[in-house]
Structure formats: C-alpha cells, structure tokens
Amino acid sequence: MRKNQLLLCVGIFLLLFSAPAFSQKKVLTDEEEVTEMVTKEMDEVFKSKDFLKQKDKKFKDVTGTIVTDIGVVQSGKVSTFFKVDSDINNPMFTNFLSEYVLDHKFYFKLQKQQRYKVRYTATF
C-alpha cells in the first residue's frame, strides 16, 4: 500500500512539472520554416473574427492586395512592418494594419540573436 502511494505521488509530481515543458513555444532555426510559419499565422490573423470585425468597422470598403516585409525577433514578436507594394491607396488602413501586426506575437521562438525578415502578401 505504501509503495502504491509513493508511485502515485511521483507520478503526480512528474505530470505537474512536465506540463510546462510541453507548452513551450517551438524554436525555429530554418529560414524556410520561419517563412512558412509567419505566412500561416498571418493568414489566420487576417481571417480571425477579431481582425475582420475591426476592419469592417473602420475600413469596410477597402479591398486589394498589400505586400509587406515583416521582421521577427527571437521572442516571436514582430519587430518591423514595412509596406513594400500595394494597390490599396488608403494610408489610414496601412497604419491600422501596421499597428495590428506589430501587436501580434507568433507562436514560435527563434534562436538567440536570430532575426528574420519575411515577405508576406495579404489580400483583402
């Protein structure tokens, strides 16, 4: 009986301390992998209910394509957002988009001192 209690306690201890390890963000090292993840997450962000609600509230009539460079740093934060090309001629929308993307934090991390710039094309 005592042995079963000890095993149960050890099992619970391991379970509690292993859970945070599974919830850690994935560390990406390959540039292609980073580009793929940034593209995937930005697609999800621009299709999210929160983004669409804010866009429709302020910029309902804005449609077109915008090409941007998004800089990502070690922690997964967006460091820079530059408009490269666009057929959307609304600077207020570009500012809104810039602020929205700069507030985003990706679900991955990079290696120390690592930084990537990803070219992303969004269509609205």
Side-chain angles (χ1 to χ4, degrees):
M1 182 70 173
R2 183 88 172 131
K3 188 175 180 179
N4 287 342
Q5 288 178 337
L6 180 63
L7 283 174
L8 181 63
C9 288
V10 169
I12 290 173
F13 177 79
L14 289 174
L15 182 66
L16 290 175
F17 285 98
S18 65
F22 291 120
S23 64
Q24 297 270 334
K25 290 182 177 181
K26 183 177 180 181
V27 178
L28 301 181
T29 56
D30 183 43
E31 187 172 357
E32 289 178 16
E33 214 177 9
V34 172
T35 301
E36 183 181 316
M37 288 298 290
V38 167
T39 301
K40 179 182 169 214
E41 283 192 40
M42 284 291 101
D43 287 344
E44 290 172 4
V45 165
F46 293 142
K47 291 176 184 171
S48 70
K49 288 183 182 181
D50 181 53
F51 175 79
L52 293 174
K53 182 178 177 183
Q54 288 186 34
K55 180 194 170 287
D56 289 344
K57 183 177 180 182
K58 298 176 183 178
F59 305 101
K60 190 172 188 90
D61 298 333
V62 173
T63 57
T65 303
I66 186 166
V67 180
T68 61
D69 282 340
I70 299 173
V72 184
V73 293
Q74 176 188 346
S75 64
K77 291 187 84 167
V78 176
S79 60
T80 58
F81 179 89
F82 293 110
K83 179 179 88 168
V84 176
D85 189 26
S86 177
D87 58 5
I88 301 171
N89 295 323
N90 185 337
M92 296 294 285
F93 178 72
T94 305
N95 289 341
F96 160 74
L97 195 61
S98 174
E99 289 175 21
Y100 199 88
V101 172
L102 286 169
D103 286 339
H104 182 72
K105 188 165 183 178
F106 290 102
Y107 299 115
F108 61 83
K109 289 185 176 185
L110 303 175
Q111 289 180 325
K112 280 192 172 190
Q113 304 300 315
Q114 204 68 332
R115 140 183 246 132
Y116 287 103
K117 180 176 78 170
V118 177
R119 175 95 13 121
Y120 176 75
T121 303
T123 302
F124 302 99

